Amino acid sequence: MAHTPQAKYRKDYTSPSHTITSIDLVFDLYDHNTVVTARSKVKQLKQDNVLYLDGEQLKLVSLDVNNEKWTRFEQLEGGIALSGLPEEFELEIVTEVNPENNLALEGLYKSGGAFCTQCEAEGFRRITYYLDRPDVLATYSTKVIADKATYPFLLSNGNRIAEGELDNGRHWVQWQDPHPKPAYLFALVAGDFDVLRDTFITKSGRKVDLEIFVDKGNLDRAPHAMTSLINSMKWDEERFGLEYDLDIYMIVAVDFFNMGAMENKGLNVFNSKFVLANEQTATDTDYLGIEAVIGHEYFHNWTGNRVTCRDWFQLSLKEGLTVFRDQEFSSDLGSRAVNRINNVRIIRGPQFAEDASPMSHPIRPEKVIEMNNFYTLTVYEKGSEVIRMMHTLLGEKAFQKGMKLYFERHDGTAATCEDFVAAMEDASGVDLGQFRLWYSQSGTPIVSIKSDYDSTEQTYSLTVSQHTSATHDQQNKQPLHIPLDIELYAANGQPIELRSNGKGIDNILNVTKDKETFVFEDVSEKPVPSLLREFSAPVILEYDYSDEELTFLMVHASNDFSRWDAGQMLLAKYIRSNVNAVQTGTEIELPMSLIDAFRGVLLSDTLEPALIAEIMALPSHNEVSGWYSQIDVDAIATVLKATKVRLANTLEDELSAIYHSLKDVDYTISHEAIGKRSLRNIALSYLAHTELGNSLVEKQYFSANNMTDTIASMSAANNAQLDCREKLMTDYSEKWQHDGLVMDKWFALQGSNPAENALEVIKSTMDHTAFSLKNPNRTRSLIGSFLNMNPVKFHSITGDGYQFAGEIIKELNTSNPQVASRLIDPLLKFRKYDDTRQALMKRELERLKSLDNLAKDLFEKVNKALDS
Ligand code: B3K
Ligand code: ZN
């Protein structure tokens, strides 16, 4: 490595020396040598008149100040420094970039036949030299010039204000964005597309043109994205009172994209995975994912764009809040319980695992080498939990008052997480002093609860202790302000009113100390407590429930989430004890009472089908792994499989009855139909492990009229390693090999294939016509699934899996470091495995560390892991 990458610290933030109030951009687009002319109005803000501009991988063509060639500048690593400048001036910089060779997909690049950009977090500096930091807000005017036949559509932010033709077959379009924005929200797209058009009338009566650009021939896959966009616009007006602020909103779907999507002002660029869907190509999960991501990017228009982040350490200001908003959107439109369950699974699984890894960081990180490494589950999902806790503490009405105040104070500016909390506090009068620690403290708190019933005094008490262990980034932890949502039940299943000091009290207990006791009065019988309802805080709950109490809660808890959670806790008890049994060579056992509890769920006529499906879904291998300080990969896999097989065979009649009774559900994208399909398909995933499995699965595959049922059958065949697996996989590949996006589902099944020869098959799958390591979706589907969803094969004691991962990461280090850096996460967690595996995983990290061109992204993670 040429220079050791340097870390930046949150505490070192200083406001910019200069600002740029407006920028005029001209892009003369060519595959290998695009010329970018940037004319900016610059203003000095501090004493120092040296202007440092960020720039990477740029060829500087010319630099003028106030229309005169400027020679007083120095080229530095990562930018240029200009000196001797006047206080206010016009700066013109001409640079040349090479979009065709840009495989990192950051800055200006080619995706298939189209030009597109990705500037967050620090990609604009790959387009021109600039103050590429979110607290510099400028108005943008952008002229895009390109060949008319190849690129009939030329797009950028804001409103289209002029267009024209040039000689030599080229044409141009001029865009003007009136809203000042930081460079990371800049976007440009040029290409040939099919366009789906619609309009939206805002609540104040303004007409907004909606345009979704997709690859030619894909128009029939765009309507769901359009419906989702219109629903998002309506929902934001109704729930948050927020209206759209430009005359046009454009979404472009591209095939080469590092993330899900990007909220560029007025011109979202999307990974095609989160736009394209029809019933033949997309599963229900895809449909719901599209709704959520379209919503998320749209909601950023206020939380992110109108109020942006002062610096990148504040990323959760926009991301945590916007994830909270998209979760609420999905919950208001669909099943609140199912949405909550899925979000909680992410926190308890991969987010808790991140907290326990060398990458652990608070939702507002303190130290960053490569910002792209911090678009994490912690910043996004835990960040959203932190917003949700404030929502729980304040209630919807006061929370919305807080939002209003936040916009009154900060609209059009770059703000901090502290600004947000202060607005919530000031609007509600709720003291969030101690609560602020959630922003600075990393790790997962463990909340242990002990209960005591005093029949003479008729009191019930809960003694709550909290403890957060030291994490890789932070030794000392303090007690947090934890909202603990509880309910108590009498034996007849009725909730008991919570009373303290002679009056009724709220269900939300404010836990603030290391240890404290909450006493409830007038409790006439020993109750069953429902604790951490709705997962009211991102913590690990420890409470010694009996099996009877958990089966009681599965039936009587007054909210669906708690019923699901009780089922999970019951399963967890036996998964743990059976892992222990496997390790000590004793029999795996599942008590009949547990099986009966799940039978009761299957037979319930009050639970909604989608919820039954969630209750029947076992925790993932990854989630179970998180329960242990040392992970026994094989024992966990053995127990999860045995649990599934045992439930399948004992509950075969009930599962089969459900499966057949739901056979004729009409295919619609309603939440009700989605719920029924998910119940039917989870039943199939169990039945696959019974004698009838093979014929049932094969039959479903060949009779399916939609992708949800197709993939469910293939996935059941894959997991249960059924004889028909090969046949189904071959049929699918022959049918879809021309379509990479649809093939991603097939690649993911190859990656997670538990077969003995899985790795060999994966290696040969890399030669499939639809596969390319240059495409992040393909790479994540095949390689990402192997690393994250194929625990037994990836962690094979031979070390083959690790070595394969190391080789791929090494290759991606040069072409696409962001994708490489996402793939490496499982290797960073080497300390959680036995000595042999640790050594093998470490060897791969050491090999990567020794590369002389190691990208910043990997440098940061590899070093953290090896130093930990
Ligand atoms: N803000 C973008 C993510 C950008 C990722 C940069 N590596 C998408 C989103 O969160 O909405
Ligand atoms: Zn976002």
Side-chain angles (χ1 to χ4, degrees):
M1 168 162 331
H3 297 279
T4 307
Q6 293 301 306
K8 279 191 186 153
Y9 293 82
R10 182 175 72 90
K11 62 175 168 46
D12 293 342
Y13 171 83
T14 50
S15 61
S17 64
H18 294 71
T19 194
I20 295 174
T21 50
S22 68
I23 175 167
D24 236 310
L25 286 158
V26 180
F27 285 81
D28 209 1
L29 292 173
Y30 290 96
D31 285 356
H32 288 281
N33 43 13
T34 287
V35 179
V36 183
T37 305
R39 259 179 236 102
S40 309
K41 289 207 165 60
V42 188
K43 226 193 207 159
Q44 186 181 324
L45 300 174
K46 290 182 170 169
Q47 279 309 312
D48 189 4
N49 80 351
V50 176
L51 170 63
Y52 180 89
L53 297 173
D54 305 292
E56 277 172 20
Q57 310 200 359
L58 297 171
K59 186 166 147 198
L60 180 62
V61 178
S62 67
L63 197 161
D64 288 52
V65 169
N66 289 335
N67 296 316
E68 281 181 28
K69 190 173 161 58
W70 199 256
T71 50
R72 297 177 63 183
F73 72 89
E74 199 187 340
Q75 295 243 20
L76 309 165
E77 182 168 326
I80 47 173
L82 285 72
S83 49
L85 296 163
E87 275 181 26
E88 280 192 41
F89 56 96
E90 199 178 281
L91 174 68
E92 186 191 275
I93 297 182
V94 181
T95 49
E96 209 181 276
V97 294
N98 188 337
E100 183 72 47
N101 285 7
N102 181 355
L103 301 181
L105 314 184
E106 208 183 356
L108 177 68
Y109 65 93
K110 290 288 298 276
S111 168
F115 286 95
C116 67
T117 54
Q118 172 55 37
C119 294
E120 189 178 356
E122 295 175 333
F124 194 72
R125 63 188 62 183
R126 293 174 181 221
I127 290 173
T128 186
Y129 289 97
Y130 196 71
L131 283 169
D132 189 8
R133 44 187 291 166
D135 57 355
V136 170
L137 280 73
T139 52
Y140 281 64
S141 135
T142 306
K143 183 175 184 177
V144 189
I145 311 167
D147 180 71
K148 188 170 182 181
T150 324
Y151 308 102
F153 293 95
L154 306 177
L155 315 173
S156 191
N157 318 84
N159 301 309
R160 188 189 278 116
I161 55 167
E163 54 198 299
E165 310 252 331
L166 300 171
D167 309 334
N168 63 22
R170 292 173 75 78
H171 70 146
W172 59 270
V173 176
Q174 177 83 46
W175 293 83
Q176 170 74 48
D177 181 0
H179 297 279
K181 64 169 179 283
Y184 83 87
L185 289 173
F186 169 79
L188 172 154
V189 172
D192 192 4
F193 304 100
D194 277 341
V195 194
L196 181 64
R197 294 192 163 85
D198 210 323
T199 52
F200 181 79
I201 308 292
T202 69
K203 62 175 179 171
S204 70
R206 282 186 315 101
K207 180 171 145 284
V208 181
D209 288 324
L210 309 178
E211 297 181 346
I212 299 185
F213 298 81
V214 296
D215 276 354
K216 291 244 151 215
N218 276 339
L219 210 51
D220 66 326
R221 298 193 204 178
H224 178 65
M226 184 62 88
T227 306
S228 303
L229 175 60
I230 292 170
N231 288 340
S232 308
M233 297 178 87
K234 229 190 302 189
W235 180 87
D236 216 12
E237 292 186 347
E238 285 166 6
R239 175 93 186 258
F240 279 78
L242 297 171
E243 197 176 326
Y244 186 60
D245 55 5
L246 282 167
D247 301 332
I248 182 166
Y249 193 92
M250 294 172 284
I251 290 175
V252 184
V254 299
D255 288 328
F256 287 73
F257 204 69
N258 283 342
M259 306 272 295
M262 180 63 212
E263 70 263 25
N264 318 298
K265 185 81 189 185
L267 176 56
N268 290 181
V269 178
F270 267 64
N271 186 327
S272 53
K273 174 178 164 61
F274 291 109
V275 174
L276 302 179
N278 68 32
E279 60 195 66
Q280 295 313 314
T281 62
T283 63
D284 293 339
T285 310
D286 295 327
Y287 273 84
L288 296 174
I290 289 168
E291 179 179 89
V293 178
I294 294 261
H296 181 97
E297 306 312 331
Y298 176 73
F299 304 141
H300 267 315
N301 189 55
W302 278 92
T303 51
N305 302 3
R306 291 286 291 246
V307 181
T308 192
C309 299
R310 186 193 70 175
D311 55 77
W312 288 122
F313 297 99
Q314 317 295 328
L315 179 61
S316 202
L317 172 72
K318 75 178 177 78
E319 295 304 347
L321 179 54
T322 305
V323 172
F324 171 77
R325 275 152 53 68
D326 85 55
Q327 290 178 352
E328 283 300 294
F329 168 61
S330 298
S331 302
D332 283 346
L333 264 61
S335 159
R336 182 161 285 274
V338 169
N339 275 288
R340 190 66 191 131
I341 288 165
N342 286 317
N343 298 330
V344 170
R345 280 206 175 103
I346 292 174
I347 297 280
R348 284 188 182 152
Q351 198 283 318
F352 283 180
E354 190 165 273
D355 277 343
S357 82
M359 266 300 283
S360 87
H361 53 278
I363 63 166
R364 185 184 56 203
E366 300 292 347
K367 174 188 173 189
V368 166
I369 291 179
E370 170 53 61
M371 190 53 214
N372 285 323
N373 281 341
F374 287 84
Y375 287 74
T376 58
L377 292 159
T378 301
V379 167
Y380 275 63
E381 309 298 322
K382 184 176 177 182
S384 163
E385 293 301 315
V386 171
I387 303 288
R388 186 172 294 284
M389 285 190 284
M390 282 189 262
H391 185 269
T392 303
L393 291 169
L394 271 64
E396 167 76 1
K397 210 165 149 217
F399 183 87
Q400 291 297 351
K401 240 176 103 189
M403 290 297 300
K404 216 169 146 236
L405 185 59
Y406 172 65
F407 290 123
E408 272 165 29
R409 288 179 178 171
H410 304 290
D411 187 13
T413 71
T416 62
C417 296
E418 170 52 32
D419 293 330
F420 182 82
V421 180
M424 285 293 155
E425 196 164 48
D426 294 347
S428 67
V430 174
D431 177 0
L432 296 171
Q434 186 185 358
F435 185 85
R436 283 171 169 78
L437 264 179
W438 283 103
Y439 282 91
S440 55
Q441 187 161 293
S442 58
T444 311
I446 296 179
V447 172
S448 311
I449 304 183
K450 298 245 181 298
S451 63
D452 185 48
Y453 180 61
D454 185 331
S455 56
T456 339
E457 294 292 323
Q458 305 250 301
T459 57
Y460 182 71
S461 60
L462 292 173
T463 298
V464 184
S465 321
Q466 60 165 306
H467 172 77
T468 308
S469 300
T471 48
H472 290 265
D473 62 319
Q474 199 178 54
Q475 284 303 309
N476 299 320
K477 308 287 181 181
Q478 293 163 51
L480 293 154
H481 180 177
I482 296 171
L484 180 67
D485 188 344
I486 68 150
E487 204 161 47
L488 304 179
Y489 294 100
N492 66 2
Q494 287 306 305
I496 298 171
E497 195 201 350
L498 300 183
R499 297 185 64 80
S500 174
N501 297 320
K503 54 178 198 306
I505 58 160
D506 195 71
N507 288 78
I508 313 291
L509 309 181
N510 285 288
V511 174
T512 56
K513 307 196 177 76
D514 281 332
K515 186 170 182 176
E516 60 200 298
T517 299
F518 298 86
V519 181
F520 307 98
E521 300 153 359
D522 306 329
V523 183
S524 58
E525 58 180 296
K526 185 178 178 216
V528 177
S530 174
L531 303 169
L532 198 68
R533 296 163 80 233
E534 296 290 355
F535 194 62
S536 58
V539 302
I540 294 170
L541 170 69
E542 287 181 351
Y543 180 75
D544 196 11
Y545 276 116
S546 67
D547 289 11
E548 292 69 32
E549 286 174 316
L550 291 172
T551 48
F552 174 94
L553 288 173
M554 284 174 77
V555 179
H556 295 294
S558 64
N559 78 42
D560 286 345
F561 178 85
S562 302
R563 294 177 184 202
W564 168 80
D565 208 14
Q568 292 290 300
M569 286 190 265
L570 185 60
L571 283 168
K573 277 181 90 167
Y574 286 94
I575 292 170
R576 277 178 199 276
S577 66
N578 282 326
V579 166
N580 196 257
V582 171
Q583 288 167 333
T584 52
T586 51
E587 283 285 291
I588 291 183
E589 276 183 60
L590 273 193
M592 212 49 203
S593 57
L594 179 147
I595 294 174
D596 283 339
F598 285 89
R599 189 192 319 276
V601 169
L602 286 175
L603 295 176
S604 164
D605 46 19
T606 52
L607 295 175
E608 58 170 331
L611 186 71
I612 300 180
E614 296 300 339
I615 296 177
M616 293 307 298
L618 301 180
S620 66
H621 192 290
N622 286 331
E623 185 178 338
V624 176
S625 299
W627 305 343
Y628 296 94
S629 52
Q630 185 159 128
I631 301 168
D632 187 338
V633 180
D634 298 310
I636 295 172
T638 305
V639 170
L640 287 174
K641 171 98 183 272
T643 309
K644 188 126 193 181
V645 171
R646 178 78 199 281
L647 285 169
N649 285 289
T650 336
L651 299 174
E652 185 174 354
D653 291 347
E654 291 80 2
L655 289 160
S656 176
I658 286 187
Y659 182 76
H660 291 290
S661 75
L662 294 171
K663 200 162 56 201
D664 299 321
V665 174
D666 279 346
Y667 183 84
T668 64
I669 291 296
S670 68
H671 288 279
E672 201 193 332
I674 290 176
K676 287 183 177 161
R677 277 195 291 280
S678 83
L679 177 54
R680 182 166 187 258
N681 284 324
I682 192 133
L684 183 70
S685 78
Y686 276 95
L687 292 167
H689 294 275
T690 66
E691 253 180 31
L692 286 179
N694 195 61
S695 64
L696 217 52
V697 166
E698 185 171 343
K699 198 162 153 218
Q700 170 155 328
Y701 177 87
F702 286 104
S703 61
N705 67 356
N706 64 81
M707 184 55 95
T708 302
D709 291 340
T710 303
I711 284 298
S713 59
M714 289 167 69
S715 157
N718 192 51
N719 294 332
Q721 291 288 292
L722 300 177
D723 291 344
C724 66
R725 181 188 184 276
E726 262 334 289
K727 189 168 163 191
L728 312 192
M729 292 293 279
T730 307
D731 184 80
Y732 187 100
S733 160
E734 278 168 7
K735 192 162 165 200
W736 292 111
Q737 55 187 318
H738 59 280
D739 191 321
L741 194 59
V742 183
M743 281 305 290
D744 278 340
K745 303 173 202 310
W746 187 90
F747 289 128
L749 290 172
Q750 295 289 45
S752 63
N753 178 10
E756 232 6 88
N757 64 343
L759 184 54
E760 257 166 69
V761 177
I762 290 167
K763 285 181 182 167
S764 61
T765 301
M766 292 179 71
D767 297 327
H768 192 286
T769 48
F771 187 82
S772 161
L773 216 44
K774 288 188 182 139
N775 185 300
N777 288 359
R778 299 308 91 82
T779 303
R780 279 188 289 256
S781 296
L782 183 66
I783 317 291
S785 300
F786 176 63
L787 271 60
N788 294 291
M789 311 299 279
N790 201 342
V792 173
K793 295 292 155 253
F794 172 58
H795 291 285
S796 156
I797 198 76
T798 60
D800 291 359
Y802 303 145
Q803 197 186 340
F804 173 68
E807 283 159 11
I808 301 280
I809 293 165
K810 180 177 164 195
E811 190 169 340
L812 288 166
N813 170 58
T814 10
S815 56
N816 190 331
Q818 270 189 65
V819 171
S821 187
R822 293 232 162 221
L823 280 184
I824 204 173
D825 287 342
L827 282 177
L828 306 180
K829 298 172 181 151
F830 66 89
R831 289 199 196 279
K832 296 211 51 168
Y833 298 88
D834 56 73
D835 291 349
T836 313
R837 288 181 170 91
Q838 278 201 29
L840 292 164
M841 292 168 96
K842 235 171 119 176
R843 186 175 68 181
E844 298 309 322
L845 293 174
E846 302 277 10
R847 276 188 186 148
L848 289 166
K849 185 177 170 166
S850 70
L851 293 176
D852 52 15
N853 64 345
L854 188 66
K856 282 211 284 182
D857 316 55
L858 288 176
F859 172 89
E860 180 166 40
K861 290 191 175 182
V862 168
N863 282 291
K864 268 193 185 175
L866 291 172
D867 294 347
S868 66

